[in-house]
Each structure stands twice: as C-alpha cells, then as structure tokens.
Amino acid sequence: METVAEKSVVTLTPSAVAEVKSLLALPENAGKHMRYYVEQGGCSGMQYGMVFDEQRDGDLVSEQDGVNVLVDPISVDFLRGMQVDFSDALSGGGFKISNPNAKQSCGCGKSFKA
C-alpha cells in the first residue's frame, strides 16, 4: 500500500524534472519511478542513492510535474527538505543535492553526516 506524501520529501527543480523525464522515457525505465534513498557508506558516513525503481509497500510517494518520486520510510527523515537540481555543464554537471539535514558533507557531494 502506498503512502502519498502531503508535502514532498524531496523537491526537484525544473531542470531536474526535465532530466528525470527524459531518462524515464528510455525503454529500460518503462513503468518505473524516481527513487531517492540513503545508505551507510561514503566518506562522511551516509551516502545518497537514486535509482529508477518500482513502488514498494511503505514508500512515500509524491508527484512533481509528472514525475513520481519515491522515498522509503527509513530514508524519509534524512532526506526531508532535500532539493535535487540538474546541470548539463561539461564540467561539474549532473544531479546536485542540497540537503538541509546534512551537518557535514564531503567534497564530492555524494555523502553526508546527519
């Protein structure tokens, strides 16, 4: 059973929405949604993950401009208020995460300490 979030746990900027939509249009991602999560690891203790995935029981689901965003119940408190942006710049491009819950982040931006 899904849990629909009253307010998005993760917010996508318009450029992130556009990139996620283009990736979801690929045949290998048909029927999937964008999942954000945290796991142990990385140089600061926890690291971010994002993957195209199917919805699971207990997921918080939010919709942003046609993109369904999934967050598992364990990751919710670590990701609440997180913003995801995307840049197609040749240098430093890709998805960028801004997380207000991160007390310390590593230089690569892929891991944090809560």
Side-chain angles (χ1 to χ4, degrees):
M1 170 169 248
E2 77 180 52
T3 303
V4 177
E6 291 177 25
K7 183 179 176 188
S8 297
V9 173
V10 175
T11 303
L12 306 178
T13 65
S15 60
V17 167
E19 182 64 13
V20 169
K21 281 182 176 180
S22 71
L23 294 169
L24 284 170
L26 299 173
E28 62 265 32
N29 295 326
K32 295 184 180 178
H33 310 286
M34 187 77 246
R35 174 180 300 282
Y36 294 95
Y37 62 94
V38 295
E39 61 187 2
Q40 293 291 327
C43 47
S44 292
M46 301 196 78
Q47 62 187 8
Y48 300 108
M50 53 193 299
V51 65
F52 294 107
D53 198 5
E54 296 177 5
Q55 186 176 327
R56 300 180 196 150
D57 286 345
D59 282 343
L60 262 68
V61 182
S62 62
E63 188 273 337
Q64 295 176 52
D65 298 321
V67 173
N68 282 335
V69 176
L70 308 175
V71 179
D72 65 87
I74 294 170
S75 298
V76 167
D77 289 335
F78 295 105
L79 300 182
R80 190 174 305 283
M82 184 174 91
Q83 183 180 55
V84 179
D85 192 16
F86 179 80
S87 169
D88 60 2
L90 291 176
S91 178
F95 287 100
K96 304 292 180 196
I97 294 172
S98 174
N99 185 348
N101 302 304
K103 293 184 176 37
Q104 179 182 352
S105 294
C106 69
C108 68
K110 293 181 177 28
S111 68
F112 69 102
K113 186 177 209 173

